[in-house]
Amino acid sequence: MRVGELARRTGTTVRALRYYESAGLVVPRRLSNGYREYDPIAVRLVEQIRQLTALGLTVEETRPFVDSIVGGADDTDVCAAALATYRSTIATLQDRIGRLTAQRDALNSRLDTATERVATGASSPGADPSRLVGDRLPGLTFYCTDGRPVDLGALGPGRTVIFVYPLTGRPGVDLPKGLIEVHGALGGTEQATWVRDHHAELRNAGVDRVFGLSAQSTGYQRELVHRLRLPYPLIPDPRMTLAAALELPTFTAGDMTLYERLTLVVTDDAVEHVFHPIPEPASHLLAVMQWLTRSSRSGREGHGH
């Protein structure tokens, strides 16, 4: 068969076949007209090479297996050279896994240290957030977990819901000391999951955009979005920029300053409603849905009049 046919039958490229040929693994016969022609056994050789390289072997390390096929062996795994190659490749992979694990642990350690240092300082009761109704949010730009910039002062037409929460936990990472003693502080992960599971209902209730916002770092929030498969982005505000601009209430847990839980409903770039305080995250989300339903109903009735 010609090189194009072999590439098609084995799901590889002509370029790869040329490389195997240059390595002396799959060698065609030269015809009198100069064309290369491969014997049927070349299909098995190429398939073996591709299977082994997918397992982590180099092309050169597939040689004993290819030689076994050429020699007529039915089972290419039983020769001494094949066993030695397997052992060597496994040892190399174990070493690589060890180094990657160490890198991951070091990165996690730095991430956790950075997160613990986020916005430390004294807690502040802030002003009553309900005073914000009717006001525009400040023109503060954040980069969401999906990489897009969002300007809170120019969210766009329609209704936006911003869930402001203290923090979410992560498997294997302890929560800040003292957090459990603050009523209503826990439950961030459950809240994020609830919003995920009812995201379509929020949209059906007239919400055009949904965001979550906390003082946690971008890396921490991206891990949460990926782990929980959130269909909405999170906004990291580790410097508590929004809290400073709006005098939002915060509290201290251990050596961290965190947002008190509150929810902003912003319509056509003006604050339409503020939910605060929120002692119970789960029941609060039901309250948001009820408020949205009543608001939509009132809007329809008003439009009818």
Side-chain angles (χ1 to χ4, degrees):
M1 73 190 79
R2 300 287 174 82
V3 66
E5 174 66 11
L6 179 59
R8 185 188 65 80
R9 292 179 61 178
T10 56
T12 188
T13 64
V14 172
R15 183 177 180 180
L17 293 178
R18 297 288 188 235
Y19 177 61
Y20 301 157
E21 179 184 347
S22 66
L25 296 171
V26 184
V27 181
R29 291 182 288 108
R30 284 281 187 175
L31 301 179
S32 57
N33 57 8
Y35 286 111
R36 295 177 174 87
E37 185 173 79
Y38 293 87
D39 292 327
I41 196 175
V43 173
R44 189 180 171 196
L45 297 177
V46 173
E47 289 175 343
Q48 181 76 303
I49 293 170
R50 298 194 71 207
Q51 290 171 5
L52 293 172
T53 53
L55 290 174
L57 277 69
T58 65
V59 171
E60 179 58 33
E61 286 173 333
T62 68
R63 188 175 301 279
F65 302 89
V66 170
D67 290 343
S68 294
I69 293 175
V70 174
D74 294 326
D75 189 347
T76 61
D77 289 345
V78 299
C79 70
L83 296 176
T85 300
Y86 280 143
R87 293 190 181 100
S88 174
T89 303
I90 291 171
T92 300
L93 288 173
Q94 287 177 333
D95 178 67
R96 188 184 308 166
I97 290 170
R99 286 186 280 107
L100 290 174
T101 300
Q103 286 180 284
R104 181 202 62 192
D105 292 344
L107 286 170
N108 277 333
S109 177
R110 295 189 65 156
L111 174 61
D112 296 337
T113 299
T115 301
E116 290 171 1
R117 292 175 180 171
V118 164
T120 59
S123 61
S124 169
D128 181 5
S130 64
R131 78 191 190 288
L132 298 174
V133 173
D135 293 346
R136 294 178 65 93
L137 292 180
L140 299 175
T141 299
F142 298 91
Y143 281 89
C144 300
T145 48
D146 59 7
R148 294 185 298 111
V150 56
D151 182 353
L152 296 186
L155 293 169
R159 180 173 283 162
T160 302
V161 174
I162 304 174
F163 294 97
V164 181
Y165 60 95
L167 82 172
T168 55
R170 192 174 71 184
V173 179
D174 293 335
L175 292 173
K177 297 177 182 179
L179 186 66
I180 196 170
E181 301 170 2
V182 181
H183 185 64
L186 298 177
T189 301
E190 290 79 2
Q191 180 178 356
T193 303
W194 191 98
V195 178
R196 176 198 67 191
D197 295 342
H198 296 269
H199 186 255
E201 295 176 42
L202 287 168
R203 298 297 301 271
N204 290 335
V207 176
D208 296 283
R209 292 164 291 273
V210 176
F211 297 99
L213 183 146
S214 78
Q216 288 176 292
S217 66
T218 301
Y220 209 105
Q221 289 191 345
R222 282 180 177 171
E223 187 279 333
L224 181 76
V225 169
H226 176 75
R227 173 161 48 88
L228 298 184
R229 299 182 180 180
L230 301 183
Y232 59 94
L234 301 180
I235 299 175
D237 185 14
R239 297 188 179 185
M240 308 288 281
T241 308
L242 186 62
L246 298 180
E247 298 182 50
L248 297 181
T250 62
F251 68 95
T252 297
D255 60 354
M256 296 181 65
T257 299
L258 304 168
Y259 278 102
E260 278 192 16
R261 195 181 302 277
L262 62 91
T263 295
L264 301 171
V265 181
V266 183
T267 301
D268 297 333
D269 289 330
V271 178
E272 182 181 9
H273 191 81
V274 179
F275 292 88
H276 182 270
I278 304 171
E280 301 293 340
S283 60
H284 160 64
L285 292 164
L286 295 175
V288 172
M289 287 296 300
Q290 292 170 355
W291 184 89
L292 289 170
T293 301
R294 290 195 303 269
S295 177
S296 297
R297 186 182 301 118
S298 298
R300 289 194 298 270
E301 292 174 354
H303 183 72
H305 289 303

